């Protein structure tokens, strides 16, 4: 025996130990992999030996190799062997190796359970400690389950060293084995008052982490933690507790008020920056109540942040800016006062700090300071080394200027000159961005065109400066815009011939193809303008010279390798040659040439179509084409039958705008915005400028001082515009003052009526130009957004389920805010529920007195009744019907849900005969939070029927709900998809379901439940499938189909509407149509053919139908019948 | 007080948990579940060589390697004057360089950066005390010791002991139990490495009363 040991020691002498390995690796830099593979071979040999010391040594080396990235999973068993050694030396190595190498899927972990248990109960505290430490790294659900009890016992161990480890590891155990939480919790709570500060802080840690996951359950501990917070001096613990309170305050607003004082004290007193930062963050995050104390503490935070940002330490600076950007979201005003500081940060050496500062700037601009800020940024652009940061600056400048429809720009000449200055950036990737801005501004701001054209002509003239090096071709995109602007608005050009020459320089041929193409095309436009100008003159030689120049220069482009350029050039070349011929015969051609490019492009607001009233008899909800089968674009395959309708659609403008209706809507919207604390109001004066400008002609445009040197591209000119702008503003201000004086005199008596008479706000600055997108058709663009979006959802998402959760009646009805009486008095602060009820009253003329004052019990009852869910197949509802429907739900009371359901079959094309796919239906549900509260922890559950089942993830029971993977802040909607398995599709079905969720209110958080029904109609199993008439005929002839028919009386609509309705609501496609007779086809997801023959005479419609499944056919026909009975 | 907790079902929702483990690749804000204070800690040299890694979230080896590679590159690319924080995927990275070694931690969005910096500093101080003016080579050749110290200081990503004295005491006593590995005492390389002993940071982000 002794001999053996001696032999072992001698063996070991020749083994490599860890140091040798490390040294070896360092010495074999060039063939490291080879060296290591020999080492691994040696290790394998060592692991085969009985000597545990040798094994431990080998395992230790393996751990090192594992860190270097080598796979050591093969040695897992040996690691377990070393772990179970009785000697602490080896055990320690073993546990270390295990904690580094083991993961959930390591199968040998199962073998360790007993060993770990033994170590946990070892009399030696370090054995226990090492086991606990290891366990924290590789605990699996199984281990957690088996060892939970042992660890729980350790939580009351005599040694604080073990206690604190046990407490900490309990958190891991809870995560892996949640059932252990309840039995262990009392003990965990005890540990909050443990005499040992280490154990106490561990307990605080664990409870805080748990509470951040599920704050509600820990609300009851708040007083205890409050006591700890005011008494503890340990910063680690304090930070944790403050974090915990940060999670709790949303649930219990009273807590927020109570916390302000100790938090403020801490902010004042602490010298620890981390604690200060934590406090500040918590105060910032928790500011939903507007109490005086809160505003004070908020101000204090901003002050402290300023100190952080001013600090020389980069880290504090960065964090200060980070926190500032959080404040910016809620209190932009208080951040704006620190503009100087943030601008200073732009000079910082650290790029990440500069980027943070840039982010902040974006939210800080106003009409007043935009020019100043951009000027600063431009200086930085010049100074910036490193293209990434410069590009970032460039995009930020453009972002800042163009945000919310150029809201803050008061002088577009200045903006254009900024853009032109930006073109001088070398090597930027954002040429296209600048180009698109130039185009946008030039097209939309009519008044700026003269100026823009002059600038662009200069740019074109100096194009060689930009394109000197093709490597920097990012910027040459700008020439695209320049050429187009010069061509399109060539009537404003001062010297068109010069520009034309510039555009036809040989150098142009080095530009990218798409730019050349624009050059060629716009050269033609310019040519037309020049002809027009010159033809008035008596001397015709000038015109002929121009033509000659075109003819001389164009061949260069005709030879271009780019097809587009070549085609346009040769086309235009021939044209010019022909013109030249005519010119030689002294024929006047200018008129005709310019007719080629006649007409002006008018900008149209993206939502302008919405403003066009729907003409009588046009059903916009009827499909023009059959509904898209899956995700194909809508504008494919226009069917011939409906083409008659199309002109009506595209009619640009309809004159019969219902002025009253509009005014009412506007009023309602304003009211709402006034009530909405998050809506940033524009002061009435600027609104007026936007709204009431009847046309460009009436806009007060500043005289452009052309003495400003436009032509020197190297000189920054934007500064001059800043000056000009200043002057203009001063003038305006003076005028305004005059006016105001007058006004004041006039209505002294009526003061304080409704006027928002603050100090002269920055919004009072009137812009010099109006962005033209705000045309007469769209007087309230921008303010209108939410409505439009809602409408859009409805109009364009018919193939979706729509669940709108309207909580507490504070919401609008789905789309038509105009139909509801305006809520005229809403408390700005936290609304009480009783007040809400009262308001619900006001909003519900139908049942005016029903629920004027309620006890809680009554409320509950009502809730239950009201929480009935409307569930409809969307397609069954013509828009008018739907509107009234949503209105009635609105009037009913508190918690109203409108579900509009339409199951969307998956995999439209390849279902044929494939029962696997054919039995799946995807239901997309749009959850829209119409309440003012935050909704979270939503669970969607459906009571399965024999036929239809909600697909749940593996391992969950048949009654488990599915977690909706998002939370809903107020006003937000999101979509979730749920897959259902359907056995038979021949019958329609209704599935009952519930949606549970937590409503997080300002002062409470409640569990709510909504019941709903999902209606799977038979039509929803049909897929629009096109069918050719010959295939259709064959199908009918085959004789496999059973027939059935239905007769609809009193259908009063044009035949094509009727067809469209069937197509849209029931997913048919028209096969053939002859006069008042049409054949239609559709197919189910399981491959049933459904054929219809629709005939109409007078008000009677007869539908003969054939299908290989009579039950399905019957149900589909019933559904069709229902559709038409409802309209 | 506990009654409230006991009566309600305590929910720790598994699906969310799993998602977070796969974690960092999901859009921020979808899953706001917070798990551990620290997700992982990496020590690597200026040359990008990994010296120590500790993962407090279970990830596959492949994933770990990928994250390590990406992070090492990102951090090394930063200039010396830059601040110690960066946003990476949906985590916050806090790093600090001590001589030739970078200490790099990943924390969750809502965690406190300054305290993480403090933890790093603490750890370096502990190493320094233990090895006596620690240098990179100490960590390379005694990497298991470095792990032991880390494990004694952090557990599951949480700081378990705020007192330096206690940590060192625990380590020393554990070391006493360990029989001397005579083959370990062979002389270290004679290379001279700069000591990474922590200078007092310019800022006390943190001050802890010593127990």
């Amino acid at each position: 025996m002794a001999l053996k040991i001696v032999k072992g020691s001698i063996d070991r002498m020749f083994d490599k130990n860890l140091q040798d390995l490390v040294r070896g690796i360092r010495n074999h830099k060039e063939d490291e992999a080879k060296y290591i593979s020999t080492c691994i071979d040696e290790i394998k040999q060592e692991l085969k030996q009985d000597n545990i010391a040798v094994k431990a040594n080998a395992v230790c080396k393996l751990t090192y190799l594992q860190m270097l990235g080598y796979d050591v999973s093969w040695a897992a068993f040996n690691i377990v062997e070393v772990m179970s050694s009785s000697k602490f030396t080896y055990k320690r190595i073993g546990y270390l190796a295990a904690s580094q190498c083991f993961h959930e899927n390591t199968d040998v972990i199962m073998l360790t359970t007993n060993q770990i248990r033994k170590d946990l109960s070892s009399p030696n505290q370090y054995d226990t400690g090492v086991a606990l430490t290891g366990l924290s790294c590789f605990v699996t659900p199984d281990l957690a389950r088996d060892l939970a009890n042992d660890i729980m016992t350790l939580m009351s161990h005599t040694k604080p060293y073990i206690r604190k480890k046990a407490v900490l590891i309990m958190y891991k155990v809870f995560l892996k084995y949640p059932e252990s939480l309840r039995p262990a919790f009392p003990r965990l709570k005890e540990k909050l008052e443990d005499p040992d500060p280490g154990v106490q802080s561990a307990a605080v840690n664990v409870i805080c982490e748990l509470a951040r996951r599920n704050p509600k359950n820990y609300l009851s501990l708040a007083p205890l933690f409050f006591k700890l917070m005011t008494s503890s001096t340990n910063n680690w613990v304090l930070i944790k507790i403050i974090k915990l309170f940060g999670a709790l305050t949303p649930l219990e607003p009273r807590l927020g008020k109570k916390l302000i004082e100790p938090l403020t004290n801490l902010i004042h007193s602490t010298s620890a920056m981390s604690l200060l930062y934590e406090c500040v963050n918590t105060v910032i995050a928790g500011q939903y109540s507007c109490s005086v104390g809160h505003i004070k503490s908020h101000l204090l935070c901003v002050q402290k942040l300023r100190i952080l940002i001013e600090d020389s330490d980069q880290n504090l600076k960065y964090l200060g800016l980070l926190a500032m950007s959080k404040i910016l979201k809620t209190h932009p005003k208080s951040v704006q006062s620190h503009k100087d500081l943030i601008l200073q940060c732009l000079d910082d050496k650290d790029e990440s700090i500069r980027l943070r500062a840039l982010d902040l700037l974006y939210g800080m601009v106003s009409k007043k300071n935009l020019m100043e800020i951009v000027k600063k940024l431009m200086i930085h652009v010049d100074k910036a080394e490193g293209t990434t940061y410069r590009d970032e600056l460039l995009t930020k400048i453009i972002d800042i200027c163009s945000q919310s429809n150029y809201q803050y720009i008061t002088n577009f000449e200045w903006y254009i000159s900024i853009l032109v200055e930006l073109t001088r950036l070398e090597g930027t990737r954002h040429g296209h961005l600048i180009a698109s801005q130039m185009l946008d501004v030039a097209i939309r701001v009519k008044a700026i065109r003269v100026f823009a054209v002059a600038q662009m002509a200069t740019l074109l003239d100096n194009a060689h400066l930009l394109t000197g090096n093709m490597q920097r071709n990012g910027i040459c995109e700008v020439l695209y815009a320049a050429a187009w602007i010069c061509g399109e608005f060539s009537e404003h050009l001062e010297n068109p011939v010069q520009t034309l020459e510039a555009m036809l320089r040989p150098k142009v041929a080095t530009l990218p193809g798409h730019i050349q193409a624009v050059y060629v095309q716009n050269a033609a436009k310019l040519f037309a303008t020049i002809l027009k100008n010159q033809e008035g003159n008596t001397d015709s030689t000038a015109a002929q010279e121009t033509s000659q120049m075109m003819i001389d220069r164009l061949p260069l482009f005709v030879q271009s390798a780019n097809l587009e350029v070549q085609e346009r050039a040769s086309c235009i070349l021939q044209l010019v040659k022909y013109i030249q011929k005519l010119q030689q015969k002294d024929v006047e051609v200018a008129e005709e040439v310019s007719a080629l490019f006649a007409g002006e492009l008018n900008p149209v607001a993206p939502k302008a179509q919405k403003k066009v009233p729907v003409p009588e008899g046009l059903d916009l909800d009827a499909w023009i084409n059959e509904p898209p089968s899956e995700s194909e674009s809508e504008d494919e395959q226009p069917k011939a039958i409906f083409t008659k309708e199309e002109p009506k659609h595209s009619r640009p403008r309809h004159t019969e705008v219902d002025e009253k209706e509009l005014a009412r809507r506007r009023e309602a919207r304003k009211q709402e915005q006034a009530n909405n604390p998050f809506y940033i109001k524009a002061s009435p004066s600027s609104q007026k400028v936007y709204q009431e400008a009847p046309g460009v002609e009436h806009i007060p445009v500043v005289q452009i001082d052309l003495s400003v040197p436009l032509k020197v591209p190297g000189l920054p000119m934007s500064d001059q515009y800043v000056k000009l702008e200043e002057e203009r503003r001063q003038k305006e201000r003076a005028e305004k003052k005059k006016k105001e004086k007058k006004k004041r005199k006039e209505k002294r008596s009526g003061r304080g009526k409704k006027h928002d008479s603050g100090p002269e706000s920055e919004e009072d600055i009137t812009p010099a130009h109006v962005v033209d997108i705000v045309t007469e058709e769209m007087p309230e663009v921008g303010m209108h957004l939410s409505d439009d979006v809602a409408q859009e959802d409805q109009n364009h998402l018919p193939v979706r389920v729509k669940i709108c959760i309207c909580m507490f009646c504070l919401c609008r009805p789905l789309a038509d805010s105009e139909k509801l009486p305006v809520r005229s008095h809403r408390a700005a602060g936290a609304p009480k529920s009783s007040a809400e009820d009262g308001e619900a009253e006001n909003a519900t003329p139908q049942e005016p007195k029903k629920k004027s004052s309620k006890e809680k019990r009554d409320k509950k009852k009502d809730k239950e009744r009201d929480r009935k869910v409307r569930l409809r197949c969307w397609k069954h509802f013509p828009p008018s019907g739907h509107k009234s429907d949503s209105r009635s739900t609105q009037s009913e009371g508190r918690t109203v849900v409108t579900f509009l359901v339409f199951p969307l079959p998956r995999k439209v094309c390849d279902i044929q005969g494939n029962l696997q796919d054919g039995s799946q239906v995807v239901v997309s549900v749009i959850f829209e939070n119409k309440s003012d509260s935050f909704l979270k922890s939503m669970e969607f559950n459906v009571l399965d029927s024999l036929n239809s089942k909600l697909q749940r993830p593996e391992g969950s029971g048949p009654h488990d709900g599915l977690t909706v993977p998002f939370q809903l802040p107020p006003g937000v909607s999101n979509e979730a998809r749920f897959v259902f398995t359907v056995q038979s599709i021949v019958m329609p079905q209704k599935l009952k379901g519930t949606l549970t969720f937590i409503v997080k209110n300002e002062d409470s958080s409640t569990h709510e439940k909504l019941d709903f029904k999902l209606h799977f109609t038979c039509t929803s199993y049909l897929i629009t499938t096109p069918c050719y008439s010959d295939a259709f005929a064959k199908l009918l002839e085959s004789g496999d189909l059973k027939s059935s028919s239905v007769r609809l009386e009193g259908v009063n609509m044009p035949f094509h509407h009727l067809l469209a309705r069937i197509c849209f609501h029931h997913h048919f496609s028209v096969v053939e149509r002859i006069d008042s007779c049409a054949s239609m086809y559709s197919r189910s997801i399981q491959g049933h053919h459904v054929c219809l023959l629709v005939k109409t005479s007078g008000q009677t419609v007869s539908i003969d139908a054939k299908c290989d499944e009579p039950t399905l056919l019957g149900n589909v026909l019933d559904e069709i019948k229902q559709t038409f009975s409802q309209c | 007080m506990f009654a409230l907790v006991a009566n309600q079902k305590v929910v720790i929702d598994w699906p969310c948990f799993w998602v977070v483990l796969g974690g960092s690749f999901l859009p921020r804000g979808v899953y706001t579940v917070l798990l551990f204070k620290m997700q992982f800690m990496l020590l690597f040299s200026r040359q990008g060589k990994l010296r120590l890694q500790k993962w407090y979230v279970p990830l596959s080896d492949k994933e770990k390697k990928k994250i390590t590679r990406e992070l090492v590159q990102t951090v090394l690319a930063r200039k010396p004057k830059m601040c110690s924080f960066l946003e990476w995927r949906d985590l916050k990275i806090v790093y600090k360089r001590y001589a030739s070694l970078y200490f790099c931690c990943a924390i969750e969005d809502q965690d406190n950066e300054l305290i993480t910096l403090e933890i790093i500093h603490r750890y370096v101080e502990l190493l320094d005390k233990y090895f006596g003016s620690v240098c990179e080579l100490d960590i390379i050749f005694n990497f298991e010791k470095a792990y032991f110290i880390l494990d004694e200081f952090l557990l599951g990503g949480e700081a378990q002991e705020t007192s330096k004295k206690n940590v060192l005491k625990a380590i020393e006593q554990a070391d006493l139990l360990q029989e001397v590995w005579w083959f370990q005492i062979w002389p270290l390389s004679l290379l001279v490495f700069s000591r990474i002993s922590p200078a007092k940071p310019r800022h006390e982000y943190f001050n802890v009363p010593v127990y």
Side-chain angles (χ1 to χ4, degrees), chain A residues 458-475:
Chain A
T458 322
L459 254 187
L460 284 179
D461 240 3
N462 297 299
H464 56 277
L465 293 177
L466 302 177
T467 55
N469 179 358
M470 282 307 279
Q471 291 314 107
R472 331 186 300 219
N473 57 4
I475 202 66

Side-chain angles (χ1 to χ4, degrees), chain B residues 5-114:
Chain B
V5 182
N7 289 341
Q8 284 170 354
K9 198 184 157 200
V10 179
V11 187
I12 296 186
D13 28 4
W14 282 99
C16 283
F17 176 50
W18 286 113
V19 168
V20 170
L21 299 186
S24 10
F25 317 101
L26 285 164
R28 183 190 292 210
V30 177
Y31 298 95
T32 47
V33 186
L34 292 151
L35 279 179
F36 310 108
K37 209 183 136 32
M38 195 182 289
Q39 307 259 318
F40 54 84
M41 187 188 226
L42 300 177
L43 258 74
F44 50 87
S45 69
R46 221 168 26 173
Q47 290 77 33
K49 282 256 186 339
L50 198 58
R51 295 300 180 214
L52 196 126
Q53 55 174 351
K54 193 83 195 175
W55 298 82
Y56 298 110
V57 283
L59 291 173
S60 72
D61 283 348
K62 205 174 145 200
E63 197 56 55
K64 285 181 188 170
K65 267 185 213 165
K66 198 172 151 223
I67 291 175
T68 311
R69 200 171 47 236
E70 252 177 65
L71 257 188
V72 167
Q73 267 173 12
T74 322
V75 170
L76 287 180
R78 288 180 61 97
K79 297 198 184 82
K81 281 284 162 62
M82 282 180 154
C83 67
S84 303
F85 317 121
L86 59 124
E87 282 175 11
W88 180 79
R89 297 198 189 168
D90 59 353
L91 296 175
K92 288 196 283 200
I93 305 296
V94 179
Y95 72 91
K96 191 155 173 72
R97 186 178 152 181
Y98 287 92
S100 57
L101 265 193
Y102 283 87
F103 290 68
C104 175
C105 294
I107 52 172
E108 282 271 346
D109 188 39
Q110 296 185 15
D111 284 323
N112 192 320
E113 291 97 334
L114 292 177

Side-chain angles (χ1 to χ4, degrees), chain A residues 17 19 90 92 126 161 164 171 175 182 185 213 217 234-235 243 271 273-274 278 315 350 356, chain B residues 2 6 8 12 14 35 83-84 87 110 112 141 152 161 173 175 178-179 183 205-207 211:
Chain A
N17 65 21
Q19 271 75 38
Y90 307 133
R92 209 180 186 191
Y126 294 103
Y161 177 78
K164 106 195 144 193
Y171 178 61
L175 289 179
R182 271 218 269 166
F185 197 80
R213 294 167 55 82
N217 287 341
N234 183 340
N235 288 335
K243 252 195 209 321
S271 59
M273 284 298 178
S274 50
E278 194 61 52
N315 295 335
D350 186 346
R356 282 271 156 237
Chain B
F2 177 62
Q8 284 170 354
I12 296 186
W14 282 99
L35 279 179
C83 67
S84 303
E87 282 175 11
Q110 296 185 15
N112 192 320
F141 285 100
E152 216 47 63
E161 184 53 75
Q173 290 191 349
D175 279 351
Q178 188 164 344
E179 61 172 22
F183 49 83
Y205 296 119
F206 205 85
N207 50 6
Y211 305 116

Side-chain angles (χ1 to χ4, degrees), chain A residues 794-811:
Chain A
Q794 301 207 335
N795 293 343
H796 300 306
L797 293 171
V799 210
R800 289 287 136 86
V801 184
K802 197 159 166 149
I803 298 189
C804 309
I805 301 171
C806 317
M807 297 290 304
F808 306 113
C809 240
L810 281 179
C811 49

Side-chain angles (χ1 to χ4, degrees), chain A residues 625-681:
Chain A
N625 314 314
E626 64 259 30
S629 45
E630 201 169 359
S631 62
E632 269 129 295
S633 60
E634 286 172 20
D635 48 5
E636 264 180 9
Q637 35 168 306
K639 273 271 184 303
I641 2 171
F642 296 113
T643 42
K644 278 183 223 154
E645 285 302 311
E646 281 184 344
K648 272 187 193 168
H649 270 286
S650 54
R651 228 152 77 184
R653 181 177 308 186
H654 207 279
T655 42
E656 309 159 13
V657 183
D658 187 349
E659 274 304 322
K660 258 190 198 168
E661 180 67 18
L662 267 180
R664 226 152 56 78
R665 278 191 217 176
R666 206 172 296 146
E667 204 44 50
R669 216 170 293 121
K670 267 190 199 150
Q671 198 62 43
E672 194 169 314
Q673 280 154 2
N675 288 332
N676 184 352
F678 299 111
Y679 184 79
I680 302 165
K681 291 157 194 106

Side-chain angles (χ1 to χ4, degrees), chain A residues 539-556:
Chain A
D539 185 17
S540 66
T541 50
Q544 286 189 22
E545 268 168 28
T546 320
S547 313
Q548 191 54 46
M549 181 177 75
M550 289 285 278
I551 290 168
D552 290 344
R553 298 277 179 87
L554 276 174
L556 176 71

